[in-house]
Amino acid sequence: MISKIKEFKVLGDNRGQLVVLEGNKNIPFDIKRVFYIYGTQPNTPRGSHSHYKTKQFLVVVNGSCKVTLDNGENKETFNLNKPNIGLFQDSLIWGSMHDFSEDCVLMVLADDFYVEDDYIRDYNNFLEVVN
Ligand code: T46
């Protein structure tokens, strides 16, 4: 297994549900950046890259999507379809996000600021780095 899905505790009452994400508690790093993608198009994957150093935690807060993680040897596809589950994407793991529902909002927590030089966007280059 490349990475594990994590299930968060849901704090709910008769007003609705609440999920808490805290750096170095249920998220395994200091959270420096949060971004989210939505309005995705059918048959149009996102991601398809890896990071040299950045670690990410992916949570679908609305709708659903699939995420394929690849360590250069094995690939595993995860179905993110509940707002109380998340997926850790470590550094040097190739990640592709696909099969978005129309209403999907994918939130990503990252342990560092955006630095384009931290991206590996070419798959052959990724394989050279990890092997
Ligand atoms: C990931 C998936 C789910 C920024 O300026 N700052 C940022 O923090 C990010 C993430 C992106 N950008 C710029 C860079 C590009 O000009 O936004 C544009 C789109 O970025 P990108 O092509 O990397 O988008 P996705 O959807 O393919 O990938 C992004 C993240 O890069 C990636 O880490 O996991 O969302």
Side-chain angles (χ1 to χ4, degrees):
M1 178 170 275
I2 293 173
S3 201
K4 276 191 189 150
I5 288 266
K6 188 161 184 171
E7 189 167 340
F8 304 115
K9 190 173 175 188
V10 178
L11 306 171
D13 59 25
N14 57 6
R15 298 168 299 166
Q17 313 305 336
L18 186 149
V19 173
V20 183
L21 307 178
E22 294 178 295
N24 291 319
K25 289 196 173 175
N26 56 358
I27 299 299
F29 49 74
D30 254 338
I31 301 162
K32 273 202 184 162
R33 180 168 51 113
V34 178
F35 60 93
Y36 46 92
I37 61 174
Y38 62 97
T40 47
Q41 300 302 306
N43 304 316
T44 308
R46 306 288 297 251
S48 299
H49 51 243
S50 173
H51 298 271
Y52 286 103
K53 288 188 181 162
T54 303
K55 301 175 195 307
Q56 301 193 144
F57 207 95
L58 293 86
V59 181
V60 168
V61 292
N62 195 59
S64 65
C65 77
K66 291 183 180 168
V67 180
T68 300
L69 298 183
D70 174 352
N71 63 5
E73 271 184 32
N74 301 303
K75 291 181 191 181
E76 198 167 349
T77 298
F78 301 86
N79 194 12
L80 301 186
N81 57 4
K82 287 191 257 174
N84 68 319
I85 59 171
L87 179 65
F88 177 58
Q89 181 184 354
D90 209 343
S91 50
L92 294 178
I93 296 287
W94 188 268
S96 306
M97 299 78 198
H98 50 96
D99 292 303
F100 295 94
S101 64
E102 222 173 280
D103 58 351
C104 181
V105 181
L106 169 61
M107 179 178 73
V108 181
L109 314 175
D111 74 339
D112 209 349
F113 301 117
Y114 173 75
V115 181
E116 183 55 37
D117 285 351
D118 189 52
Y119 279 73
I120 309 173
R121 293 190 184 268
D122 178 84
Y123 190 69
N124 290 327
N125 184 15
F126 165 71
L127 291 179
E128 278 171 25
V129 172
V130 293
N131 289 316

